[in-house]
Amino acid sequence: MPLKTPEEYVESLRALDLRAYIGGELVKSVVDSPMIAPHINTVAKTYELAHIPEHRDVMTAVSHLTGERIHRYTHMFQSADDLVKKIQMLRLLGQVTGTCFQRCVGLDALNATYAVTYEVDQANGTDYHERFKRYLLDVQSQDLMLAGAMTDPKGHRAKRPSEQEDPDAFVRVVERRPDGVVIRGAKLHNTGGINSHEVLVLPGTGLIPGEEDWAIACAVPADAPGVTFIFGRQSNDSRKLEGGCDIGNPRFGVVGGEAMVVFEDVFVPNERIFLNGETGHVGQLVNYFATWHRANYGGCKGGNADVLIGATAKMTKVLGTDKNAVVKDKLIEMIHMNETTYASAIGASAMGYPLPCGSYMVDAMMANTVKLNITRNVYQIGRLSHDLSGGFLATMPDQKALENPEIGHLVRKYHTANPEYDVDERIKLGRYIENMTSVTTLVEAMHGAGSPQAQRIVMLGQAQLDKKMAMADQVINGTDDVAGLPLPGRRRPADD
Ligand code: SF4
């Protein structure tokens, strides 16, 4: 059965010959780096849960290519039920790890490439789709982790890729050969890239005729010659080097361990190229990826918020405020926001519809609504958690103070609240809340899967305001002409 164990995942990373810089220094092995270990532990959980019988239904699926049971993280969405199960999987993983488990970008990038290669071939008579299916078989049979690489540095934001002073501001083809292409450029905010097997490079923005060199989609082994990872900093990240309770989420870290990945004239053979110059299909590729990924946030952030709400509720017990009606009401507010986004993600999935290739797409309006709500609700849930936990979050002593025999007893004496709980418990909870509501987490919720304005633009496009005006006419002016009004239900882009 093509399901890696967590141990096999870690060993397969060790076998890679990566060029990776952490803290400005070249590291020999990301597996042994304390800066990366929590992110690897999180991905290892995605492998582990697939082997647990009670989670088999959401963590695995049957490959439509081979009929074999595979990891859901390598599966093409074959039904609305598949889309719903993906959201359930994300909530489960969020609850188990309390952070980002990184594999979803690669999954959605795989699905977007599968769908668009089919459409390109239908339009142009090319053979990208069969080529991609051969690659997908490898991914499924080896249960690979893919990093989806979408976001280009983008240079001057008012200029197109072809207008940039530095043409490498967007990943591009610098040489075409009979056996492949050579690419140059970089991708930023690459979630899980430094602990992935492969990087699936896709354009990050729509392109126009004349920009064929930027219309490149391809798969690159993470340790291919010319690929360099430069790991990003996070709030409080050097605490990982100290150990102890001050890390916050000691086993699983904070968000996805993002890196920039640089391609310095990397050769990509033909069998790994899935789009090469077809500018007219790039916008759809970006759209498919973004729509699937935006729905995800109701699942993963839902699971993360379950852990945060749990930590906050426990903190109220530690403080002795848990019986207070106002405190309970604030916890209800956190739960309400969390369940609202989860419900939208499930709804977007349940209303999924088939694309020309046979895969299923989520409802775009609801998926974008999920993500736009996340850009607010993660902040609001964090704000309420801060409110209920108190200023101690920002001023609490550290593990070393607790352990110091000269002052540890003073820290314990003056930080004891409800005596049923010891101070170590209070500090651990506080550190978790501090880390999971700090800058890195909040910014990820704001900009991951696209910044809020990107969701607003799609929502306006999907809203069918002309039809809403017809509804208003019908109700206010009593016209009986309701022809063309949209039924509630599945909304395909083609219906607009
Ligand atoms: Fe997956 Fe959520 Fe992380 Fe995106 S932010 S990779 S959807 S866990």
Side-chain angles (χ1 to χ4, degrees), residues 171-173 181-185 216 218 220 263-266 268:
V171 168
R172 66 185 178 119
V173 175
V181 298
V182 176
I183 62 169
R184 186 186 302 161
I216 179 73
C218 58
V220 178
F263 304 92
E264 290 179 286
D265 293 0
V266 175
V268 185

Side-chain angles (χ1 to χ4, degrees), residues 22-37:
I22 301 168
E25 292 188 359
L26 184 64
V27 293
K28 281 201 174 72
S29 161
V30 295
V31 173
D32 300 316
S33 163
M35 297 297 281
I36 309 297

Side-chain angles (χ1 to χ4, degrees), residues 90 100-105 191 293 296-297 300-301 444:
L90 303 190
C100 165
F101 23 89
Q102 309 154 47
R103 288 182 77 181
C104 330
V105 189
T191 299
H293 204 64
N296 291 358
Y297 275 55
C300 71
K301 303 300 179 205
E444 199 283 327

Side-chain angles (χ1 to χ4, degrees), residues 198-475:
E198 294 265 321
V199 184
L200 188 50
V201 182
L202 305 184
T205 189
L207 298 171
I208 57 176
E211 294 181 329
E212 286 74 16
D213 287 347
W214 290 271
I216 179 73
C218 58
V220 178
D223 59 351
V227 175
T228 302
F229 292 93
I230 303 170
F231 196 56
R233 290 217 70 168
Q234 299 181 329
S235 319
N236 304 330
D237 57 0
S238 54
R239 292 184 190 174
K240 291 178 193 168
L241 305 174
E242 300 169 15
C245 70
D246 291 321
I247 302 173
N249 187 347
R251 277 194 300 160
F252 302 117
V254 176
V255 303
E258 279 71 15
M260 65 182 282
V261 51
V262 185
F263 304 92
E264 290 179 286
D265 293 0
V266 175
F267 175 69
V268 185
N270 285 331
E271 63 269 22
R272 286 173 161 268
I273 298 172
F274 311 123
L275 203 70
N276 187 4
E278 293 81 2
T279 52
H281 293 268
V282 169
Q284 188 66 289
L285 182 65
V286 176
N287 173 44
Y288 283 165
F289 169 81
T291 310
W292 274 314
H293 204 64
R294 286 173 191 166
N296 291 358
Y297 275 55
C300 71
K301 303 300 179 205
N304 290 177
D306 286 330
V307 181
L308 182 61
I309 291 167
T312 309
K314 185 139 187 217
M315 181 68 95
T316 67
K317 284 184 176 295
V318 172
L319 295 173
T321 57
D322 56 306
K323 301 284 189 300
N324 184 299
V326 173
V327 168
K328 286 182 187 167
D329 199 53
K330 288 177 179 174
L331 287 170
I332 293 167
E333 186 66 18
M334 295 166 82
I335 294 164
H336 174 220
M337 282 187 275
N338 197 33
E339 297 303 331
T340 301
T341 45
Y342 181 64
S344 303
I346 291 289
S349 305
M351 287 295 160
Y353 60 88
L355 297 172
C357 68
S359 295
Y360 272 64
M361 172 50 68
V362 292
D363 179 281
M365 176 66 98
M366 283 191 259
N368 280 276
T369 303
V370 169
K371 178 64 215 326
L372 189 58
N373 275 330
I374 286 292
T375 67
R376 297 170 176 162
N377 290 4
V378 168
Y379 284 71
Q380 281 296 93
I381 289 171
R383 176 180 171 275
L384 286 165
S385 181
H386 291 175
D387 181 359
L388 294 178
S389 302
F392 159 84
L393 284 183
T395 62
M396 70 188 112
D398 58 9
Q399 170 122 1
K400 286 184 181 143
L402 266 177
E403 288 170 354
N404 186 326
E406 291 167 26
I407 56 172
H409 64 288
L410 296 174
V411 173
R412 287 201 162 77
K413 176 177 166 70
Y414 292 110
H415 283 91
T416 297
N418 178 348
E420 288 173 27
Y421 297 90
D422 67 29
V423 170
D424 298 63
E425 180 84 1
R426 184 180 176 191
I427 291 183
K428 272 195 208 163
L429 283 169
R431 287 295 181 212
Y432 178 79
I433 294 168
E434 178 198 9
N435 277 275
M436 299 315 289
T437 56
S438 62
V439 175
T440 305
T441 308
L442 299 178
V443 172
E444 199 283 327
M446 177 68 76
H447 292 291
S451 307
Q453 197 58 28
Q455 288 110 60
R456 301 174 90 89
I457 290 166
V458 177
M459 289 169 71
L460 185 62
Q462 290 277 312
Q464 306 187 59
L465 282 182
D466 55 337
K467 292 183 177 161
K468 292 189 194 310
M469 286 189 278
M471 292 173 204
D473 276 347
Q474 189 251 328
V475 170

